[in-house]
Every structure is written in C-alpha cells, then in structure tokens.
Amino acid sequence: MRTRLEGLAALIMLGFIATAGMFSANIMPVLVSALREGLGYSARDAGLIGAADVYGAAFGCALAALLIRKLPWRATAAVMLTAMILIDALSTLWGGFGTLLPLRLAHGLIGGVSVGIGFSVIARTPAPDRGFGVLMLIQFWLAGLAVMLLPRLAAQWGPAVVFLGLAALSMLALILLPLVPDYPEQPTPPLAPRSRARWNAPLLLGLLGLFLFQATKMSLYSYLFGFGHSLQLSTGFLSAVVAAAAWLGSLGCLAVVTLGLRYGRLRPLCVAIVLAVAAYVAFLWCQGIPVLFAAAEITVAMVWAFVAPYLFGMCSSFDGQGRMAAWSSFFSKLGMATGPALGGVVLAETHYERLLWLAIAGIIGSGLCVAWPALLLDRQRAVQA
C-alpha cells in the first residue's frame, strides 16, 4: 500500500534521505576526533578532511538545483546513495591524507546532490514547512544517538566505524527510497509573483551573517572532544553531553515553530546571540566545572537550532520565488565547511582559548550583520500589517 502524499511516514522517509547526504556535518566532532586519535592526524589536517566533505556538499546542492528538473529524482537519488556507500567503504581502507581528502570531497559533492534532491521533493509535499521541521528533528535526534555511540565504538574498533556508520545511514535511506511517493511537481499558478530577487546590501549582509553564524558554530563544535579532553573530561562524559545537546537542541526548532514572527526577527535574534556569547564565555571558565561545560554546550545547540531557521527565513524573504532559499543553503554549507578548516588553523593543536575568542568574535559579527536586514523586514511587516 502506497504511503499517502500528506502522510507523516512519507515525510520521515524523505527526512532520512535528505539527512544521509549531510550527516557527516552533524557528527563532525566524532569524525575529527576519530581522525586525530585513531589515525594520528593533526588538528589542521583533520579539520580539512571534515571541511572537504561539507564544501563538496555545498557545491553538490548548487549542482542539484541546476539538474533536478532534468533528471528523474528517484533514480538519481538511488545512484547518489549507492556511490556514497561505496566511498564510505573505501574511506575505511585508505586512511592517508592524500587519498582521504579527495574521497571525502567526492562524498560531499555526491551527498550534496542527494540533499538537494531531498529538499526539492520535500518542497513538493502538501506541507513543506512541516516536512522541513521533521527533517531537522531527524537530524538532531540521529546526531545525538551517533555521538553517544560512535566515539566508544571508534575507541575499540578504530575510525573505520565512523565511516561504516555513515554508510549504514545511506543504506537505510536507499532501502526507504522506493517507498516514498512520487510527489509530482506542482504547477506554477498563473498569477504567481514575478518579482526578481534583488542583490542589495541587506540581503548580502543577511547571507554574510548566516555564513559567519554557521562557521562560528562549526569552528568549536568540530574540536569539542579535543577541547573536553584538554579539560580532563572523559570521552563518555563528552559523548553524553553532545548527545544531550543535540536532543535538547531540537527545542530550539520547536520554539521557532511556536513563536513564528510574533515578536518579529530582530528581538528573538538579539536574545539568542546574547545567549550564545554568554555560552562561549562560559566555556572559557569551565575548567574543573563539568556542569558548566555541559550547560554551555546545550545552550549553544539550542541557540543554533533557534537562530538558523530565522536566518534562512530572513534571507528567503528578499524574493518571491524561493531562489534566495537555495542561496541561503549554499552560504550556510560554505560556513559549515569553513568552520572546521579555520578552527584547525587557529587551534594549532592546543590553543583552545584562542579558538573560543574566535567563536565569540564570529557570533558577535554575525549578530551585527543580521541586525539591519532583520530590522528592515520587521518594519516592512509592521507597515503591511
């Protein structure tokens, strides 16, 4: 029996398919830690490996946007998922930097196409907002489970376990793929808005703010296990904290759904940015206070889940055809890729305090960038009300 078009089961299956292509970013601290501790990579090289995966995904999403209307989405997704499984399997065999870097770059590019396909199909469902909400919840809960289990397994069996975990998720998505309804493209209404996106200063500042926000989050998140170990915290404790942060971070998504634009964008964003700065400052003073470390990481995760949807919505509000949503995804993934690479250079193995000051500067810079466009959109909404 075929799943109904508006069924929750179909949205969950689509969520797994869209998640598989980008899951390496959700478990970046596990991947970086496994490369550093299991294969002896430097912080710089491990960060570059993680960054290559996400940079590839950014350009893969752009490629999917160009090709999605020319290729059958289900067959293309099947090919992409199969290729990802193969590359993850090869990654367990070839651990040298010179071979692993291009392998993960290729994995990211293919995964980005898979993510782009998943996003495009979710957009065809009767309730796309609901579909994207289900997708984010799946990402948070799967990430929490992965960071709880994979570090312990990697300590026993080596870093290959991380790549096998990614392959298992792609295999699950491949199994679910035939069960997803076709979701034909929706016809364009004859009176649809024809306004073109305007590349103006507020939009560019919004995209820059989104880039900085994602890069800041990933710059510390990618090295969170190493930072915790420098504070004499155990891997088990760190896994539990990151898992709890991922699960509790989903409350940020629910807060966005609950609040909507009731208080505009500027006020919620200002409160969230202040909380993020406070959390990063708390990291500076958490030596010998594990509870403070846990509270800071949970706060950052909840802010991340809360702010990102607002920034996507803000940037998407600058045109009437959804093209800025695609560009927002591109800038977001560029930021997520730049964070591990820049963090590895700044960290230089041991300078975690310097990395934290970079995070504080980045989150403040992001807040300054998005304040003006958020204010303009709030004023425009007030006039139209």
Side-chain angles (χ1 to χ4, degrees):
M1 181 177 176
R2 182 160 284 243
T3 308
R4 295 172 59 203
L5 291 180
E6 67 275 12
L8 179 61
L11 296 179
I12 292 174
M13 289 186 286
L14 276 173
F16 275 99
I17 293 168
T19 296
M22 267 294 291
F23 198 58
S24 56
N26 295 102
I27 60 167
M28 189 64 72
V30 178
L31 175 60
V32 170
S33 178
L35 293 176
R36 294 181 68 186
E37 297 178 11
L39 295 176
Y41 275 41
S42 67
R44 173 184 172 275
D45 288 349
L48 288 175
I49 293 291
D53 212 322
V54 189
Y55 272 125
F59 290 99
C61 286
L63 184 62
L66 297 174
L67 299 179
I68 187 60
R69 300 192 66 180
K70 302 177 182 179
L71 298 173
W73 73 264
R74 195 187 305 273
T76 305
V79 172
M80 297 298 104
L81 290 168
T82 302
M84 287 162 56
I85 294 170
L86 177 61
I87 293 176
D88 281 326
L90 292 176
S91 297
T92 66
L93 303 176
W94 297 331
F97 180 81
T99 52
L100 197 55
L101 181 69
L103 273 177
R104 300 319 298 176
L105 180 63
H107 182 278
L109 183 66
I110 294 169
V113 174
S114 176
V115 170
I117 291 172
F119 272 53
S120 69
V121 178
I122 290 174
R124 300 176 192 172
T125 63
D129 292 343
R130 188 183 183 206
F132 285 116
V134 170
L135 168 63
M136 291 193 69
L137 288 174
I138 288 174
Q139 288 181 341
F140 273 101
W141 282 89
L142 277 182
L145 182 62
V147 298
M148 178 69 76
L149 299 177
L150 288 180
R152 300 177 183 180
L153 295 175
Q156 295 179 0
W157 302 100
V161 170
V162 178
F163 297 118
L164 292 176
L166 293 172
L169 180 58
S170 297
M171 180 66 72
L172 175 60
L174 189 61
I175 293 172
L176 295 176
L177 185 62
L179 304 178
V180 180
D182 290 329
Y183 289 116
E185 290 189 31
Q186 300 297 321
T188 302
L191 299 178
R194 299 175 179 269
S195 60
R196 294 185 177 183
R198 294 177 295 172
W199 288 90
N200 50 30
L203 170 59
L204 293 175
L205 280 174
L207 292 172
L208 177 59
L210 176 60
F211 170 86
L212 287 175
F213 181 78
Q214 297 287 49
T216 297
K217 170 66 170 74
M218 295 302 293
S219 66
L220 178 62
Y221 183 66
S222 302
Y223 301 96
L224 197 61
F225 279 87
F227 175 47
H229 291 154
S230 74
L231 301 175
Q232 309 304 313
L233 299 175
S234 68
T235 298
F237 175 81
L238 294 170
S239 298
V241 168
V242 178
W247 292 329
L248 292 174
S250 62
L251 296 177
C253 305
L254 296 177
V256 175
V257 174
T258 302
L259 291 177
L261 296 178
R262 185 183 308 169
Y263 301 105
R265 290 188 174 94
L266 182 60
R267 280 185 286 179
L269 287 174
C270 286
V271 172
I273 294 297
V274 169
L275 287 175
V277 171
Y280 284 122
V281 171
F283 274 128
L284 289 169
W285 302 99
C286 66
Q287 177 76 42
I289 313 177
V291 174
L292 185 57
F293 178 94
E297 173 55 21
I298 290 171
T299 301
V300 169
M302 294 179 69
V303 168
W304 188 30
F306 181 79
V307 171
Y310 272 118
L311 296 186
F312 281 122
M314 183 182 70
C315 295
S316 300
S317 296
F318 283 91
D319 82 310
Q321 297 179 332
R323 286 173 292 181
M324 282 303 111
W327 280 109
S328 298
S329 177
F330 177 73
F331 274 82
S332 170
K333 289 176 176 59
L334 281 182
M336 295 177 73
T338 301
L342 181 60
V345 173
V346 172
L347 176 60
E349 302 302 327
T350 59
H351 298 288
Y352 288 101
E353 183 175 341
R354 189 165 64 186
L355 184 59
L356 285 168
W357 282 114
L358 172 69
I360 292 170
I363 203 69
I364 293 175
S366 174
L368 292 175
C369 285
V370 303
W372 183 36
L375 177 61
L376 291 178
L377 290 173
D378 286 350
R379 287 177 175 175
Q380 177 181 328
R381 182 169 172 272
V383 171
Q384 294 174 347

